[in-house]
Each structure stands twice: as C-alpha cells, then as structure tokens.
Amino acid sequence: MRVSNVALLTLAALASQNLTANTSAAPAAPPVSGGTPQASNFVDAINNIASRPAESISAPETIAHEQFSPRIAVKSQTGLLVAAVQPELSAGAKTKANTPAASGDELTKSLQQTWLTKLIETGVKSNPQARDGFDFLSPQTGSAESGYGFNNTINLLNILLILGTVFPPVTIAFFWAIRRLVVRQLVADANQRLQGIGVLESELINSSQLTQKLRDELEAQLSAAKQSIDFLSRETEISKSSVEQIETLKSQFLMHLQVLLTEVYEKKSQIVQEISQLPAVVAKESVKLAPQPQSNTSPNSANVPSDAENLIADDYIKQGEGLYFEGNYDEAVVCFEKAILKNNNLDEAWYWRGNVLIKLQRHEEALACYDQAILIKPDGWEAWYNKANLLAKLQKYEEAIASYERASSSESHKYACWHSIAALLGKLQHYEEAIASYDRALAIKTTDSEIWHNRGAMLGKVQQHAAAVDSYDRALALNANRYETWYNRGNMLWRLLRYSDAIDSYDRALGIRADKYEVWYNKGAVLGKMQRYQDAIASYDKAIAIKPQDFEVWHNRGAALDKLSQHEAAIASYESAIALNSECYEAWFGKGESLTKMQRHQDAIAAYEKAIALKPDSYDAWHHLGTALSQLNRYEEAMAAYDRAIAIKPENAEAWRDRGAIASELKQDTEGFATGEKDT
C-alpha cells in the first residue's frame, strides 16, 4: 500500500513536470494579421487565478529570515535559492516578456511567498543532508531550447512530494526540528514575559512594602500628633486652672491689701488722736501736787475703739450691708472682704461682695464672686439672678438666659425671670420663643401692663397685628397713661388699614407726650394715606419743629405739597431734604416730578438723571426721563430712555405705549421731511 502511494505521487509529479515543460516549449505563435492575438484557455485560467486577491493567512510567529525576491530565482553555488540580478532587456526581449507565458512567473512568485516554501528553505539551510538531496533532485536550469523546462515552483513541489513520500523519517525529523525551534522560541518569549511579570511582581511587592512603611509612618505621626494634642489640651486645662488660681490669689491679695490699708488708716487715726491729747496729759501731770482719787473712767476711754479681734464674719457682713445701703461702697467692700478672710465658705459674703463690685463697675470680679457663691450654694437663686442681670448688662444674652432659668426655681422670682428671659429672647430675634416666655410670665401675674405691652411688640414682629392690638388694649386697660403703648397700637392699626383708629391712637399718645417726633411723623404718614394732605403737612411741620435735621420728613412733606399742586413749596421741601442728604433718591425723583408739572423740563431732566445715578435700575426714573425728553422733542434720547425702562420692566404696558407714540412721531417727521424734499 505504501509503494502504491509512492508510485502515485511520483506519477503525479512527472505529469505536472511534462505539462509545464510542454507549455514552456510551445509558446503561442504570433498572429498573421494585424488583429488582436488570441490567448489560450490555459493562459486565461492562469491570469484569472493570478488576478484573484490572495486570502490573508495568519502564520505563527517564526524566526525572521530572508524573504524571497519577486524576481526569478537561480541556484547558487551553495545550492540555495537566491535572487539573480537580471540584465537590462532589449526592446525585443521586453516585447517577448509580455507574452502569456509570463503568467507562469506570476504563479511562481505567488508560490514562492507561501509558508511551505519558506519552511523548506529554512530546513535546507539547517540540514546539510537535505541540502544535498535537494541539489540532487533539482535539475540544472538550461537554455530556452532545453527540453527540461522545470521552473522553480515545480521543483519545489516535486522535492516536497518526493521528500514526503520517499523519506518519511526525514520529513518527520525536519518537522520535529521545526517544532523544536518554534517551541524554543515560544518558551523563550514566555520566559521573557515571565521575567517581566517577575519584575513587575517584585516592583509591586516593593511598592506594597513602601506603602505599608509610609502607612506605618503616617500612623506613627498621627499618634504623635494626637499625643501632642492631648498634651496641649492637658496643659491648656492646667494653664486655665492656674490662671483661675492666680485670679483667686490676686483677688485674695487685693482683699488682704484693702484690709491692711483700712487697718493702717484706723491705726493712723488712733495715733493722731492720741498725739493730739498728749499736751493735756502732760499739763495735768505737771500740776499734780497731791495724790488724788483715781477716776474709774478716763477722758480717752471713749475714743478707744472696740477690739476688732472679737468681731466674726457675720458681723462684718452686717456692717457691709449697712454701708452698701448708705452708698458707701468702698468701705462696704472692705467689710465683705474681711468677712471672707474670716470665713471664705460663706456664700453670703461672696454674694454681697459681688453686689458691691457691680456698683464699683468691676464687673469681671463681680462675676467671679457670684460664681464662688454658686459653687458654695448651687441652689442660691439670689446669686443666679444677680449674675443673670450682670450678664445681660454685658450683652451675654444666652448665658444670661441660662442663669435666669436656674434662678426661676425660686417662686418669688419666677415671674421676673420669665419676663427677663422673654426680653432677652426678643433681643436675640427669637420672637416666637419670646412670646411663649411672656405667656409664662402672664400665667403667674396678669396685672402687669409692661408684660402686655412687650408681648404686643413681639406679636408685631411676627406680623400678628390683630393679636398685637389686643395685647396693647390689655396693657392700656391696666395703664392708660403710657404713650408708647398708644403709639405702638397706632402703628399696628395702620398695618391693618384702620387709618381712623390709628389717628385716634396717635392723638391719645400726643395727649400724653406732645413732644414726641415719631408720633407726629407717623400721624402725618397716615393722614397722607387718607388723602388729608393739608393735615398731613401740619403734622410734618410739628415733627420738623421738634427734629428739623431729618431729611425723610422734608421729603414726605414735599410729596404732600405736590399732591396739593403746590409745586414751588414742594420743590423747596425736596431741596431741604437733598441739602440734608444728597443721596436721597426719592427727593431727587420727587423734585423732577414737580418740575415736570411746572413745565420746567430741562431742570426736570437734570433731577431725573441725578435720581438715576443713585438708582440705575429705577423704572420710574427712566420712564419719566423719557417723557421729559419727548417734551423737548429729543426723540432719539427719549426712545433710549424708554428702552431702558422697558428692559427693567418689560411687562409694563405704559412704557411700550409711550415708546410707540415717539416712534410714530419720528416716522411722521421722516415722511414729512422726505415729502418736502421731493416737492423741492
């Protein structure tokens, strides 16, 4: 079976050889006539194959080798196929080269580029025995007249067939060698890549170690920083405690010093008094001639002070209280300090010393005294209450509220504490909480008009005007002689648009205090709302008589005069406001309106421009400026002013309408000018 296969393969190779030889030996004859030469079917088939595009085959990665030249290869002396340099062809040769037989060269070139041809060449180079066999089997290339027209492609095919059939072990060994080379190359590439992976792994390990090292260092630094912060915190606490101790020692030292000074002054007074009595004693002793009965009392006995050593702390406290109520604060503080020196655990001594220090404007020391009294007696509401009052005076409102809440444990002071808490909450603008605190105070005592008054003020802050009026009415029912309540009530009625009731309330306030500027001012404003302009002007005049330096009242007075068409007086009032405040936009705008009504458009334009300079986004100023400009036939400028007004308020139809009128005027003028020019 094996011999049959070999024979068949050999016959196929020889048949291919003969066919190729016949084709090479019998070229196509040139045409007899000048017609187009006819190509054989075989050549057409070859050309069709050659013109078909080659499919792309992905070969495995191999070692680089010399590629075949596209030129016809010849056998070198060593038996390998190399590119032969062909001589320059003549014109006849070039014509002959264009015959259909050249298509065989194209097939040869295509076959020489296949992977099998390259594989054989590589095996021949590496195996001497295969090279000798190849030289033996390859026929020598002869001249064109030789009957052996083997080309290189057929030679390669024959060699491959013969080698594959006759020498199977050699073929297996050859492919085994090629396989070893490929495997070796793949292993080398894999090892190289594994080495790269190893390097990357090593770098990754180094990076991980470096990261861990940095993390450990960072944790160590954070731990050190935390320890430093803890240390600084402890040191701060210790320093704070030391400062407090120093302040306490300072206070005690001052107390001791004050006591010593007092004792020095007392001793000094005593010594001076004794020295002043020495001449009388000496004279009496010098004239003494006989023994006389001794008197039980001496004239100096009345001047000897009592033994201070026999006084206790309570005695000093009582003396200090008496001096405090007499207004003798310097001596009173000395008595309280003596009591503290006798017994520093008496909260009453610390409390009274704090009260005296407030009178002496030594507020920080007073707070320290109250804190000491509270430390000794935490439930002493007197110290809490006075401390809260002092904190409120120092504008420490939140701390004061907390102290008032501690002091509210006393039933006798609960009402006052909630009243004060509500007032401080109002200062902090916590109006709802302030109203709740006033309600708690009123739950204890409902007969205090001040609570109702202050509650009404807080209700006004949260826009509860009707409730505020009711609260003011409750306050007036308890005390109708307080002008502030009538005044505030009038303001709330104004917000409710109850103008007549507001005027009545203002009149009641003025009946109590007619010298109050703000009442006359607000009354004039409400009268203006009621269009009672003459009465409003009278109220503004009253306000100006009390406070002539307020530019707002001059402006409001000018607006009322303008409503009465008293434009000259209105302009004078506006100018008074401008003299007091040159940046009053309303005064400049009002002046411009009055000037416009007097047909003084040029002056009005100047006033409007000043108003616009103060308030560039004023729609009214730009609109009125456009109107004044149009009155002077300055249409282009008027159009620009209207455009600015429309840009500010594009939804306002008035500016659009006025602008349209100006546009019509401009169109008519243009058409009239054109018609006149045409007639001319």
Side-chain angles (χ1 to χ4, degrees), residues 20 73 81 104-114 117 150-160:
T20 306
L81 296 179
D105 294 338
E106 296 179 1
L107 178 61
T108 301
K109 294 177 182 178
S110 299
L111 292 175
Q112 286 177 348
Q113 298 299 324
T114 60
T117 305
F150 293 109
N151 56 26
N152 292 323
T153 303
I154 299 302
N155 290 338
L156 290 175
L157 291 174
N158 291 336
I159 291 169
L160 289 175

Side-chain angles (χ1 to χ4, degrees), residues 4 39 61 83 90 123 129 147 160 168 222 234 284 342 379 409 411 460 487 490 547 602 633 662 678:
S4 299
E61 184 177 358
S90 63
Q129 296 177 355
L160 289 175
L222 289 175
R234 290 194 299 269
K284 186 175 181 180
K342 289 288 184 180
D379 58 346
S409 60
E411 292 296 331
Y487 171 70
K547 190 178 179 181
Q602 192 64 46
N633 297 330
I662 294 298
K678 184 176 180 180

Side-chain angles (χ1 to χ4, degrees), residues 113-294:
Q113 298 299 324
T114 60
W115 65 273
L116 184 61
T117 305
K118 298 179 184 290
L119 192 63
I120 292 173
E121 182 183 4
T122 304
V124 169
K125 289 180 180 180
S126 60
N127 194 338
Q129 296 177 355
R131 183 172 63 249
D132 295 339
F134 181 82
D135 293 338
F136 175 77
L137 293 174
S138 298
Q140 297 295 326
T141 303
S143 61
E145 291 77 9
S146 177
Y148 300 95
F150 293 109
N151 56 26
N152 292 323
T153 303
I154 299 302
N155 290 338
L156 290 175
L157 291 174
N158 291 336
I159 291 169
L160 289 175
L161 288 173
I162 295 171
L163 287 176
T165 56
V166 178
F167 303 103
V170 174
T171 304
I172 293 172
F174 171 72
F175 281 103
W176 183 260
I178 295 300
R179 175 183 173 279
R180 290 187 62 185
L181 290 175
V182 173
V183 171
R184 185 181 302 171
Q185 182 65 27
L186 292 175
V187 170
D189 292 342
N191 289 333
Q192 185 177 1
R193 294 184 181 182
L194 287 175
Q195 289 178 0
I197 293 173
V199 172
L200 291 176
E201 184 178 4
S202 176
E203 292 179 355
L204 181 60
I205 293 172
N206 293 334
S207 300
S208 178
Q209 293 176 352
L210 180 60
T211 302
Q212 186 64 33
K213 182 178 179 181
L214 293 174
R215 184 183 299 171
D216 295 340
E217 292 179 356
L218 181 59
E219 290 179 354
Q221 292 178 0
L222 289 175
S223 178
K226 184 178 180 181
Q227 293 177 359
S228 300
I229 292 172
D230 294 339
F231 174 75
L232 291 174
S233 300
R234 290 194 299 269
E235 289 295 325
T236 302
E237 293 294 333
I238 295 172
S239 301
K240 183 178 179 181
S241 177
S242 301
V243 170
E244 292 177 353
Q245 293 177 0
I246 291 171
E247 291 294 333
T248 302
L249 292 174
K250 176 184 176 182
S251 179
Q252 293 178 357
F253 173 75
L254 291 174
M255 287 192 298
H256 281 289
L257 182 61
Q258 188 70 28
V259 171
L260 289 175
L261 289 174
T262 304
E263 291 178 353
V264 167
Y265 288 140
E266 290 177 355
K267 291 291 184 181
K268 177 181 177 182
S269 177
Q270 181 181 353
I271 292 171
V272 170
Q273 193 173 17
E274 290 177 355
I275 291 174
S276 64
Q277 294 175 358
L278 281 177
V281 174
V282 172
K284 186 175 181 180
E285 291 293 333
S286 63
V287 298
K288 192 184 298 182
L289 299 175
Q292 297 179 359
Q294 297 291 328

Side-chain angles (χ1 to χ4, degrees), residues 551 554-555 571 573-578 581 583-593 607 611:
F551 69 94
W554 284 104
H555 166 265
I571 292 171
S573 192
Y574 287 135
E575 289 177 347
S576 297
I578 293 170
N581 183 7
E583 296 184 357
C584 180
Y585 158 81
E586 294 80 4
W588 284 108
F589 181 77
K591 180 182 178 182
E593 284 188 310

Side-chain angles (χ1 to χ4, degrees), residues 1 28 38 51 70 161 175 184 193 260 279 308 362 372 392 401 419 421 447 453 460 490 494 508 550 583:
M1 187 69 182
Q38 300 294 326
S51 63
L161 288 173
F175 281 103
R184 185 181 302 171
R193 294 184 181 182
L260 289 175
R362 294 158 63 180
Q372 189 66 29
I401 290 171
H419 187 185
I421 288 172
T447 58
H453 173 88
W494 178 5
R508 292 294 299 271
D550 189 350
E583 296 184 357

Side-chain angles (χ1 to χ4, degrees), residues 33-99:
S33 63
T36 303
Q38 300 294 326
S40 66
N41 294 332
F42 177 77
V43 174
D44 290 340
I46 294 298
N47 288 336
N48 290 336
I49 293 173
S51 63
R52 186 181 301 124
E55 296 181 359
S56 175
I57 300 176
S58 298
E61 184 177 358
T62 57
I63 300 174
H65 56 79
E66 183 180 2
Q67 295 183 352
F68 287 99
S69 173
R71 299 179 179 179
I72 295 183
V74 297
K75 187 176 68 175
S76 65
Q77 295 178 357
T78 58
L80 297 179
L81 296 179
V82 298
V85 178
Q86 296 180 355
E88 183 68 23
L89 297 178
S90 63
K94 290 181 180 180
T95 303
K96 186 177 181 180
N98 293 329
T99 61

